[in-house]
Amino acid sequence: MPKITFSNRNNEFYQSLKIAVDEYFEKNKIKKTGDWRLYSKTIILIGAAITGYCFLMLTNLTAIPALLICAGLGYVFACIGFSVMHDANHGSYSTKPWLNDMMGLTANALGASSFFWKQKHNILHHTYTNVDGLDDDIAKSPIIRQCESQRWVPAHKIQHLYLLPVYALSSIFWIFFMDFTKYFTGKIYTTDAWKMSAKNKTIFWLTKAGYLTFYIVLPIVKWGFLPWLGGFLLLHAAMGLTLSIVFQLAHVVENTEFEHVDLDETKHVETAWAVHELKTTSNFAMGSKVISWFVGGLNFQIEHHLFPKVSHVHYPAISKIVQQKCAEYNLPYNQYHTMLQAVASHFRVMKYLGKKPAEMQQQIAA
């Protein structure tokens, strides 16, 4: 497949950083995987999801409380994705592979496919972060334009105005279209997907059928079609908005960079992979323990990209080491002090990318 290769001749930063981070875990006699903080969060979030679903299905609620629970469920589902599914599918939830695999299936319980997510996220996104042509996370064109190398269409002039509706629909699109597209085409964006075993195919179809049963068929039987539709759309609006905004704040903001690769070329970048990750990734609200809890430490995206096998509960601690090493090697450490600043930066970027390429060049020249 087409790819970008990174220079390994100047990799002193990452080698030094890995030694320092390993020393931190060894000195404190702790594992790099999750601990009681992650496991208690798992119980709280999954317990909240089950409780909310049972209230909707087993009690006679009026419209307003039911809709509020649907919105709350969508938010909790996103938090399960951030905190449980994400760590598990990176292999950082537990030292036990079977437990990682089991908890990784929370993606399927939420309607998605952990099989395709692992390749899309762990391989394509983490290896080729912000590389247009390979990173599926920024491949939303022509609906929205997320970097300058992507084709511009007139609708992009107002993309900053219709971003929120697009984000609100993203989880529905993911579950009912993108997964099936990957399954039947055997491709993830421009890359061939992993070959599915009989077990993988069985899990895919059984969990999709389970989602159809528990989130569509049974609720329609309980509530009727129109009330179900309203609640279902509200659930996904909350889920899609939460997932999209948090992930966009990591890479599509003003202080991050992008690369581009054509489908028929291999491009060599004269920087080490770890330096590429620093340039294409940004943190936000690092001082907020509340935000860190709910977003599964994904406000520490720099640490996550450099150490994806380390559980998010350790990111605040190792961020101090990463910042020290970045300063030592005179490398950037991108961050926004608040989440609101990061959100504002994302919308400014999307508004800028909505301009015609000629207008963008005039602005740069000015």
Side-chain angles (χ1 to χ4, degrees), residues 322-333:
V322 177
Q323 290 178 76
Q324 179 185 346
K325 289 297 178 180
C326 285
E328 181 181 334
Y329 284 86
N330 195 29
L331 291 170
Y333 187 89

Side-chain angles (χ1 to χ4, degrees), residues 251-305:
H251 304 291
V252 189
V253 285
E254 291 165 304
N255 57 10
T256 57
E257 299 179 8
F258 294 82
E259 288 282 353
H260 171 71
V261 62
D262 292 326
L263 296 182
D264 57 351
E265 75 171 347
T266 296
K267 185 174 184 178
H268 182 71
V269 179
E270 284 297 331
T271 56
W273 169 82
V275 175
H276 171 81
E277 294 304 309
L278 291 175
K279 292 181 177 180
T280 57
T281 308
S282 181
N283 288 357
F284 64 90
M286 294 170 60
S288 174
K289 292 183 179 180
V290 173
I291 289 177
S292 291
W293 195 92
F294 282 102
V295 304
L298 294 181
N299 52 328
F300 290 86
Q301 278 281 343
I302 292 173
E303 287 68 30
H304 172 59
H305 271 254

Side-chain angles (χ1 to χ4, degrees), residues 94-312:
S94 169
T95 57
K96 299 177 175 61
W98 67 266
L99 185 55
N100 286 320
D101 290 342
M102 183 177 74
M103 300 311 297
L105 289 175
T106 51
N108 298 61
L110 300 178
S113 166
S114 61
F115 178 85
F116 289 122
W117 188 89
K118 284 180 182 179
Q119 185 180 2
K120 163 188 161 60
H121 183 81
N122 296 2
I123 307 300
L124 298 179
H125 173 63
H126 271 265
T127 306
Y128 306 111
T129 309
N130 276 14
V131 177
D132 182 29
L134 288 173
D135 185 357
D136 188 57
D137 280 14
I138 59 169
K140 307 296 185 293
S141 182
I143 299 173
I144 56 176
R145 185 173 184 242
Q146 294 183 281
C147 64
E148 293 185 28
S149 57
Q150 292 176 347
R151 181 171 65 94
W152 180 87
V153 299
H156 292 152
K157 289 182 179 180
I158 58 169
Q159 67 175 8
H160 60 290
L161 300 178
Y162 64 74
L163 271 185
L164 293 182
V166 169
Y167 290 166
L169 292 170
S170 60
S171 58
I172 289 180
F173 187 71
W174 179 9
I175 292 168
F176 293 103
F177 178 75
M178 292 171 62
D179 278 346
F180 290 102
T181 299
K182 293 177 176 67
Y183 184 95
F184 287 110
T185 64
K187 296 186 76 69
I188 299 177
Y189 190 22
T190 59
T191 304
D192 290 337
W194 295 331
K195 185 176 181 180
M196 299 184 79
S197 66
K199 179 182 177 181
N200 297 143
K201 292 179 180 179
T202 300
I203 291 173
F204 180 90
W205 287 109
L206 284 180
T207 53
K208 288 293 185 183
Y211 186 85
L212 178 70
T213 300
F214 285 100
Y215 291 98
I216 299 179
V217 175
L218 293 179
I220 289 176
V221 172
K222 162 74 176 178
W223 289 93
F225 180 78
L226 289 179
W228 161 79
L229 182 61
F232 188 74
L233 292 176
L234 185 58
L235 181 153
H236 275 283
M239 183 178 174
L241 280 169
T242 305
L243 289 171
S244 297
I245 289 174
V246 169
F247 279 115
Q248 294 296 333
L249 301 188
H251 304 291
V252 189
V253 285
E254 291 165 304
N255 57 10
T256 57
E257 299 179 8
F258 294 82
E259 288 282 353
H260 171 71
V261 62
D262 292 326
L263 296 182
D264 57 351
E265 75 171 347
T266 296
K267 185 174 184 178
H268 182 71
V269 179
E270 284 297 331
T271 56
W273 169 82
V275 175
H276 171 81
E277 294 304 309
L278 291 175
K279 292 181 177 180
T280 57
T281 308
S282 181
N283 288 357
F284 64 90
M286 294 170 60
S288 174
K289 292 183 179 180
V290 173
I291 289 177
S292 291
W293 195 92
F294 282 102
V295 304
L298 294 181
N299 52 328
F300 290 86
Q301 278 281 343
I302 292 173
E303 287 68 30
H304 172 59
H305 271 254
L306 293 174
F307 299 98
K309 293 290 186 180
V310 172
S311 172
H312 76 266

Side-chain angles (χ1 to χ4, degrees), residues 30-44:
I30 54 178
K31 296 176 180 178
K32 295 180 180 180
T33 49
D35 56 25
W36 66 269
R37 292 170 293 180
L38 177 54
Y39 305 144
S40 62
K41 187 190 297 192
T42 301
I43 294 170
I44 292 169

